Amino acid sequence: MSGTSGHATREADATFALLLRLCALAARHGAPDVAAPAGRVDWKAFIRLVERHRVPGIVHLALGRLAGDAADEIPGHVRQFVAEKAGVLARNNLAMVAATIRLQKMFDAAGIEAVFFKGALVGQRAYGSVAVKHGKDIDFLVRPDDLPAMFACLAGEGYRPVFPKAPLTPARINALRAFQMEAILVDPARGVQLEPHWRLTENRRLLPLAPLLAATGKRESLGGVSVRGFHPDDEFAYLCVHGARSGWFRLKWLADLHALLAGLPEEERLRLYRHAQARGAGPAALLAFDLCRELLGLPVPAALTRPVEAPLQRAMRRLCLASLGAAKPQFALRQVVLLPMLHALACGPGHVGTEILRWTVNCQDALDMPLPRRLYFLYPLLRVPLWFGRLLGGKGLLRRKVARD
């Protein structure tokens, strides 16, 4: 940290270390005797970190587990801030649970095979409660062929498209299906945001759709209603890929994953890695284990000790640790381009070509100028002219959502 005194560095380290300690304690099977951080905690910075990493529910849960001197060290105003934020989070989560139940019933009635992931189901699995995990939207997966029916159902329920903007014509839906993996809709009346997906990553080689859907036969109870979610093994694989593709820039993602893994024996964690590997997510799972070890004290299975130290894995770890430790979320070139390319290299040569190919087409071009499928090959050639056209026309570039989850 150039230009920063050693004392200030130690304080920053102690503040972040306290947040890491609390995130580790929040796991249902977390050890209650995690060592306290050395150094003075900057409580204003701690509050900023709680907001930055969106972990008030996790921190509130962990503070309730502290005892003795460790509990006495937390100032009253910090406890009050965390409790208030956790209360708002719990109320928002209950609203999203209610919306998830309505959506499940609606999709069942329409014959649409929707699978919910992340969100309330993961919170319930990880913390035994839907009130702890932070979420800003409801994610679900549908088959690509169901997109027209899905958009029609959601419009009937009052959801309005944010990306892409209306109208959702058949040609624009075809463009979405070909060049995008998700949409964004909101219900202004209820304040609920949805992210329907028809793929889970931009790279089509990762987490292929067919086996994921084939493994989702068992439903889980959410608010007393049967809701269809990913198989826990596939949820693990997806959470690893989601974190890796996003640079793990929010601690909440890692804390959720750690909470799912903390109570499992080593052989079960190794089995989850093997499953992720079979889904094409092996390097992402290695990275997740490595970061959980580095930051939250979760042991890496002995059989994976050498793989996590491979050069590409170490390079990805450095990028993710830099993003996690930043005062604000970072969306620099290294996160948007370099990290996905390193991950593609770690997955294998075929993934690199897929990664390069996806950058040749801007989905907004296909939405602004829908072409017949036989002419899709023109979009890479049109990308630069259409980009300049949007700039000159004063429309600006499409702003992709950066404050995820």
Side-chain angles (χ1 to χ4, degrees):
M1 296 175 65
S2 175
T4 305
S5 70
H7 176 67
T9 301
R10 285 194 300 275
E11 283 188 14
D13 290 344
T15 303
F16 191 52
L18 174 62
L19 185 63
L20 294 174
R21 179 193 183 199
L22 293 172
C23 287
L25 286 175
R28 297 173 72 184
H29 303 281
D33 56 350
V34 179
R40 187 171 73 87
V41 174
D42 180 338
W43 294 110
K44 289 184 178 179
F46 178 79
I47 287 173
R48 289 195 297 270
L49 283 173
V50 170
E51 291 188 297
R52 144 86 168 90
H53 289 285
R54 297 180 177 174
V55 289
I58 296 172
V59 171
H60 182 62
L61 179 63
L63 289 178
R65 296 179 177 176
L66 288 178
D69 292 342
D72 295 338
E73 290 174 359
I74 311 297
H77 76 279
V78 174
R79 286 183 174 275
Q80 182 179 356
F81 169 83
V82 171
E84 290 175 355
K85 290 291 185 180
V88 173
L89 173 64
R91 290 190 291 275
N92 290 342
N93 283 356
L94 289 175
M96 286 200 287
V97 167
T100 300
I101 291 171
R102 286 194 301 271
L103 289 168
Q104 181 69 81
K105 291 179 177 179
M106 178 190 73
F107 289 140
D108 284 346
I112 297 173
E113 190 176 338
V115 184
F116 294 87
F117 60 98
K118 294 197 298 183
L121 288 174
V122 168
Q124 189 166 262
R125 292 170 182 170
Y127 304 106
S129 169
V130 298
V132 177
K133 171 181 165 53
H134 178 277
K136 68 181 291 289
D137 46 41
I138 298 172
D139 294 270
F140 59 90
L141 180 70
V142 296
R143 295 184 185 277
D145 290 344
D146 286 336
L147 286 185
M150 179 207 71
F151 283 126
C153 285
L154 293 178
E157 285 291 304
Y159 286 96
R160 299 177 183 174
V162 174
F163 174 77
K165 298 289 186 183
L168 295 179
T169 62
R172 301 187 90 211
I173 291 176
N174 285 338
L176 275 179
R177 193 160 28 208
F179 301 115
Q180 184 57 270
M181 68 173 188
E182 63 189 1
I184 303 170
L185 300 96
V186 296
D187 179 348
R190 297 187 180 102
V192 174
Q193 179 170 306
L194 306 181
E195 279 196 17
H197 297 245
W198 44 99
R199 291 198 304 275
L200 290 179
T201 71
E202 302 93 336
N203 188 326
R204 294 170 185 264
R205 288 173 172 264
L206 284 174
L207 303 176
L209 189 63
L212 289 172
L213 291 175
T216 58
K218 183 180 178 181
R219 295 195 178 202
E220 294 185 44
S221 176
L222 187 64
V225 175
S226 178
V227 172
R228 195 162 185 252
F230 279 159
H231 188 284
D233 293 357
D234 286 329
E235 190 82 63
F236 166 77
Y238 170 74
L239 292 175
C240 292
V241 170
H242 175 265
R245 305 283 291 180
S246 303
W248 289 108
F249 67 86
R250 291 204 195 277
L251 183 59
K252 68 163 190 161
W253 298 327
L254 202 65
D256 294 341
L257 191 64
H258 172 262
L260 290 169
L261 296 171
L264 301 180
E266 179 175 307
E267 59 269 22
E268 179 63 11
R269 284 182 272 125
L270 183 59
R271 188 193 66 77
L272 283 172
Y273 165 72
R274 301 298 185 202
H275 180 83
Q277 194 175 36
R279 293 287 193 253
L286 287 176
L287 179 61
F289 275 126
D290 195 10
L291 291 172
C292 282
R293 175 186 64 176
E294 177 89 8
L295 298 174
L296 300 172
L298 181 76
V300 170
L304 304 182
T305 302
R306 289 185 63 185
V308 299
E309 292 301 330
L312 287 173
Q313 295 293 143
R314 291 202 309 269
M316 287 192 289
R317 178 178 63 198
R318 286 195 295 270
L319 290 173
C320 292
L321 289 174
S323 293
L324 270 169
K328 295 181 180 180
Q330 293 184 339
F331 301 96
L333 182 66
R334 66 183 183 186
Q335 182 175 317
V336 176
V337 177
L338 181 56
L339 186 59
M341 286 305 298
L342 287 174
H343 184 237
L345 281 168
C347 288
H351 288 261
V352 178
T354 301
E355 196 68 34
I356 293 172
L357 184 62
R358 79 178 181 89
W359 285 101
T360 63
V361 177
N362 182 353
C363 181
Q364 191 62 41
D365 295 340
L367 292 170
D368 289 343
M369 193 176 69
L371 295 175
R373 185 176 296 273
R374 66 181 181 278
L375 298 181
Y376 279 179
F377 71 92
L378 293 176
Y379 284 125
L381 304 176
L382 294 170
R383 179 162 189 168
V384 172
L386 290 175
W387 180 75
F388 275 113
R390 280 194 294 273
L391 288 180
L392 295 174
K395 292 171 119 179
L397 295 176
L398 173 67
R399 286 186 177 270
R400 290 303 308 277
K401 189 180 63 157
V402 296
R404 288 185 178 274
D405 307 311

